[in-house]
Amino acid sequence: MSRDNSRRNDKNLPFKKKSTKGKRTKGGIAIDNAFEIPINGRCYINEIPTEILTHIFSQLEPTELNAAAQICKHWRWIITDDSCWKSALIQFFGSVPFRRLASDSWKNEYMTRTKLLRIWERGRGLTLSFDPRVGIIHNLYVDFVNSWMLAGSLDKGMVSRCDPSTGRISKDFIFSTRENVSHSISAMLVDRHRILWGYKSGAIGLTILNKQGSNRFFKQFLDFHAGPVSVLAWSNQFTNTIVSGGEDGLVILWDVNSGRCIKSLRTDETLGNDTIITTLAWSVKKYIIAGTTDGTVYIWSIDSTLISSSPDNYEDISPTKITGTSGVTSLHYVESSNALIIAYEKSSELKKFDLETMECICVFTNGHSGNVTRTIIDIQENSETSNENGIKPLNILASGDTLGVVCLWDANGCGIDKIQKPFRTIEGHLSSVTAIHIDTFKMIVGSLDGAVTVFDPLTSKVICILCHSSQRSRRTANRATQTQENTSAVNCIYSKDYRTVLNIGGQIKTWDFTPGSAITGNKVKQPKKKNTSSTPKYMKRLEIQNDVRESTQMFEIEEREREEHLAKMQKYTPIPGLTNDEMLAYALMVSKEEHQTEDDQIAEAIKRSLEIQENLNDKNNL
């Protein structure tokens, strides 16, 4: 075989086409089978490492990838082989993701993750800032699908309903009182359909909302605490019961339907002591856990579903105690390992206790230099089992301190010699961390001076900075104390793939990086679904129409029967002025006439049938 023929048979090498001048073409492409000549006899692009080529291909759109897969066998092998995409992902991000964005293939995982990374790094989207007019915001709930949100304030005891995409504020505010007046409260919880109020007088109130919060129903509970309500807790699965803690040292289990106290749980320091319940952790079928200002954690082993139906069976319930050195700031119950993670007010460490033995099984340390100010935990379902790729998902614990450092921990791990070190340490803030949001792709951190930064938890690098802190906000944050509110602190963060909503003091800031939002200047509208025969809304309407039609027919039949009955009763009604004997004779005469009428009708029917039979016989004879 000649040298030229060997080069022609190598399909991985790029070739220079022969001139197609004068050749018959179709659609601008020559249709003759002229062979191609390689350029310099080498293909330099295929000498690039596979990981780099894979990363280059990840920047292409799906249609461009399909075209690239038809260039040569080597490129097609890279684009279709899933293990290459996994290797490229690890090479680019440094590790396997804690959470999968696309579980079907590593190719989709890599492309989705790099696409989100590019969009957030560019930061080209809509940015909006508005004042919901409720003061300093302490609670947020955001519905990105229907584009509405609730912003609540403890200072004024009211909630504002807004549109995060346009900044439009509803004039109909939601107040914590029946009189619809602003009143300071001590605790609040906000959800999609309900708002729970805790008053300084010790009372509890509940506002139930409709789908978008436009209509509401307010309910005042009948019992109350002996002091201000300090903390509230509820469950999305068990909505008939809530839990509250107060400055009187009591933890109360409430029935939402009746507004009554189901069970009042007492601590040892309830009578004549200044102990305050600071935080609650509630596992509906297992525990009610309360942390106090003196560092003691009380654990009641209670099935709330049973005690709500039969509270008399739980008369004497003594709690189990875990003592600490300073006030408890947060509690996180990990159901998969039956463990409790505790953060203390004046400590840079976190501790994990086994609730069966009440012993400390792990200390989260060697991560923070300042005191821990904020903690959240991201619980993954089925975290004890590995997925189909052999990767065991993590329960991630994120904590921030007074120096602006954020650490990521494995919540299920116990480390070596009961010492657990963080697997990520992220620095990027100059003041205390006040809010943390973590999801499958990013981590958003807000601080006391109003700075907001987006980090990549895989690489610990800054993706983008949403808000910068000013010198004035830094001075305000440095002067702020625990008893003094800071007007520039970030208290709440809500985020999805492309959208983020948070508060800075009393202001709401939104970012929308949805593709196309920066061009149109408006939110991306979802196409409305048509009512077809398969939609639940159409089927429900059709069912209602059938019920109405059947009810109308039944009413008509009943009306006819009623008229016939009235006519029959009038027939039997005797003539006024008759004696008893005459009335009896009249009734006998009427019944005899009816029997005669019936007999005549039967005889007439028999006569007609005989005549018809005779006519048929005559026809047959003819």
Side-chain angles (χ1 to χ4, degrees):
M1 183 181 292
S2 64
R3 183 177 180 183
D4 292 339
N5 291 333
S6 64
R7 288 180 179 177
R8 287 189 213 116
N9 294 332
D10 190 355
K11 298 181 181 181
N12 290 335
L13 299 178
F15 293 90
K16 181 171 66 176
K17 293 184 179 180
K18 295 181 65 177
S19 175
T20 59
K21 186 176 180 180
K23 301 291 184 179
R24 185 167 58 91
T25 61
K26 183 178 181 180
I29 301 176
I31 60 174
D32 67 327
N33 296 324
F35 64 90
E36 299 172 345
I37 302 174
I39 302 173
N40 298 329
R42 296 183 64 182
C43 181
Y44 295 101
I45 192 170
N46 284 343
E47 296 180 3
I48 299 175
T50 304
E51 290 79 7
I52 298 178
L53 274 178
T54 305
H55 181 66
I56 294 174
F57 291 148
S58 68
Q59 311 298 316
L60 302 179
E61 298 298 330
T63 55
E64 298 171 345
L65 276 174
N66 292 331
Q70 300 176 10
I71 298 298
C72 63
K73 291 182 178 180
H74 183 59
W75 286 17
R76 184 174 183 82
W77 173 75
I78 294 175
I79 293 173
T80 57
D81 186 33
D82 204 39
S83 60
C84 291
W85 289 94
K86 181 179 179 181
S87 301
L89 187 145
I90 297 174
Q91 183 72 21
F92 183 73
F93 289 99
S95 65
V96 178
F98 316 131
R99 302 282 189 272
R100 292 288 299 272
L101 289 170
S103 58
D104 53 348
S105 66
W106 287 104
K107 173 185 174 182
N108 292 337
E109 174 73 23
Y110 191 19
M111 294 182 63
T112 305
R113 193 170 289 273
T114 52
K115 180 181 178 181
L116 285 172
L117 185 62
R118 291 197 303 271
I119 291 175
W120 280 83
E121 284 178 343
R122 293 169 185 169
R124 298 175 184 174
L126 291 177
T127 302
L128 186 66
S129 178
F130 60 92
D131 184 4
R133 295 178 292 189
V134 294
I136 296 177
I137 298 170
H138 300 89
N139 287 92
L140 280 180
Y141 174 79
V142 183
D143 186 351
F144 288 107
V145 177
N146 298 311
S147 188
W148 66 279
M149 59 174 291
L150 298 174
S153 172
L154 296 177
D155 298 335
K156 294 186 178 181
M158 56 189 295
V159 173
S160 174
R161 187 162 55 93
C162 319
D163 188 344
S165 59
T166 62
R168 183 179 178 182
I169 303 170
S170 175
K171 297 181 180 179
D172 191 11
F173 291 95
I174 305 172
F175 294 91
S176 60
T177 59
R178 295 183 185 274
E179 296 78 13
N180 290 335
V181 295
S182 177
H183 184 72
S184 178
I185 59 177
S186 55
M188 177 196 295
L189 284 179
V190 180
D191 201 353
R192 179 182 179 88
H193 299 297
R194 50 188 177 164
I195 303 173
L196 190 60
W197 317 90
Y199 301 96
K200 293 182 178 180
S201 61
I204 303 289
L206 178 65
T207 301
I208 301 175
L209 310 172
N210 67 343
K211 183 177 180 181
Q212 294 186 357
S214 57
N215 296 326
R216 62 196 67 110
F217 170 73
F218 179 80
K219 183 175 185 178
Q220 183 80 42
F221 288 11
L222 301 178
D223 299 322
F224 50 86
H225 284 270
V229 179
S230 57
V231 63
L232 298 167
W234 59 19
S235 173
N236 294 327
Q237 290 77 25
F238 191 60
T239 58
N240 294 329
T241 307
I242 63 171
V243 180
S244 66
E247 294 186 6
D248 56 355
L250 289 176
V251 176
I252 299 179
L253 196 67
W254 301 87
D255 182 17
V256 174
N257 296 327
S258 63
R260 290 285 187 179
C261 169
I262 299 176
K263 190 66 180 178
S264 181
L265 305 174
R266 295 181 175 273
T267 61
D268 295 340
E269 293 82 5
T270 300
L271 300 175
N273 200 297
D274 295 334
T275 299
I276 300 173
I277 306 296
T278 57
T279 182
L280 290 172
W282 184 26
S283 176
V284 174
K285 294 187 177 182
K286 290 185 178 182
Y287 301 104
I288 295 178
I289 308 171
T292 60
T293 51
D294 64 353
T296 306
V297 177
Y298 296 89
I299 302 150
W300 291 272
S301 181
I302 293 177
D303 188 347
S304 301
T305 59
L306 298 178
I307 194 174
S308 59
S309 58
S310 57
D312 296 335
N313 298 333
Y314 294 84
E315 293 183 358
D316 298 328
I317 303 176
S318 58
T320 306
K321 295 190 297 183
I322 298 175
T323 58
T325 56
S326 60
V328 179
T329 57
S330 64
L331 297 171
H332 299 288
Y333 174 67
V334 183
E335 187 174 3
S336 59
S337 57
N338 196 27
L340 180 66
I341 299 175
I342 305 174
Y344 296 97
E345 183 179 3
K346 298 179 180 179
S347 176
S348 61
E349 300 177 344
L350 296 94
K351 295 183 178 181
K352 183 166 71 171
F353 291 85
D354 187 356
L355 294 185
E356 293 182 358
T357 61
M358 297 300 167
E359 295 181 354
C360 180
I361 58 176
C362 179
V363 178
F364 299 92
T365 185
N366 296 333
H368 292 291
S369 299
N371 297 331
V372 176
T373 56
R374 180 69 174 174
T375 60
I376 64 167
I377 190 168
D378 184 15
I379 299 294
Q380 181 76 6
E381 296 181 358
N382 301 324
S383 59
E384 294 298 324
T385 59
S386 301
N387 56 20
E388 58 183 4
N389 297 310
I391 300 174
K392 187 176 181 180
L394 293 176
N395 288 335
I396 300 176
L397 174 67
S399 60
D401 61 13
T402 54
L403 301 179
V405 178
V406 178
C407 295
L408 300 181
W409 321 76
D410 182 6
N412 288 336
C414 293
I416 302 174
D417 296 332
K418 298 183 179 181
I419 301 297
Q420 179 75 12
K421 296 181 180 180
F423 61 85
R424 291 288 186 276
T425 301
I426 302 172
E427 300 179 359
H429 286 266
L430 302 176
S431 60
S432 300
V433 175
T434 55
I436 302 174
H437 168 85
I438 187 168
D439 56 26
T440 55
F441 162 67
K442 61 188 179 298
M443 181 176 66
I444 305 176
V445 181
S447 61
L448 196 64
D449 57 1
V452 182
T453 309
V454 183
F455 296 95
D456 186 354
L458 294 181
T459 60
S460 303
K461 295 180 179 179
V462 176
I463 298 177
C464 65
I465 298 176
L466 298 179
C467 290
H468 294 272
S469 62
S470 61
Q471 293 182 357
R472 180 180 178 182
S473 60
R474 284 196 211 109
R475 289 195 297 267
T476 305
N478 293 331
R479 291 195 302 265
T481 60
Q482 296 180 355
T483 59
Q484 182 182 6
E485 284 285 358
N486 186 16
T487 57
S488 61
V490 180
N491 296 324
C492 307
I493 300 175
Y494 260 82
S495 182
K496 288 293 185 181
D497 291 339
Y498 301 103
R499 305 179 66 183
T500 298
V501 177
L502 53 87
N503 81 293
I504 300 179
Q507 294 285 326
I508 295 291
K509 289 186 176 292
T510 67
W511 290 264
D512 188 0
F513 299 134
T514 305
S517 62
I519 300 175
T520 60
N522 296 315
K523 63 179 181 179
V524 178
K525 296 183 179 180
Q526 299 291 337
K528 293 184 178 180
K529 296 182 179 180
K530 296 182 179 180
N531 288 334
T532 61
S533 58
S534 60
T535 58
K537 185 177 180 180
Y538 178 81
M539 295 297 294
K540 188 174 182 180
R541 186 176 65 179
L542 186 62
E543 185 179 352
I544 293 174
Q545 291 177 354
N546 294 332
D547 292 341
V548 172
R549 189 181 301 108
E550 292 177 359
S551 300
T552 305
Q553 294 175 356
M554 290 178 62
F555 287 146
E556 292 177 355
I557 294 172
E558 290 177 358
E559 185 67 23
R560 288 197 299 267
E561 291 178 352
R562 191 181 300 108
E563 291 177 356
E564 293 175 358
H565 180 69
L566 289 175
K568 194 172 183 180
M569 292 298 296
Q570 290 177 359
K571 185 176 181 181
Y572 282 104
T573 302
I575 302 173
L578 298 178
T579 62
N580 292 334
D581 296 336
E582 293 174 344
M583 291 174 60
L584 180 60
Y586 177 79
L588 292 173
M589 182 184 64
V590 171
S591 71
K592 186 176 181 181
E593 290 178 354
E594 287 185 352
H595 289 298
Q596 288 178 355
T597 302
E598 292 177 358
D599 294 340
D600 294 340
Q601 291 177 353
I602 294 172
E604 185 69 22
I606 293 172
K607 184 178 179 180
R608 289 179 180 177
S609 63
L610 291 174
E611 291 177 354
I612 293 171
Q613 187 66 30
E614 290 177 357
N615 293 332
L616 292 174
N617 293 331
D618 293 339
K619 290 181 180 179
N620 293 330
N621 294 329
L622 293 176

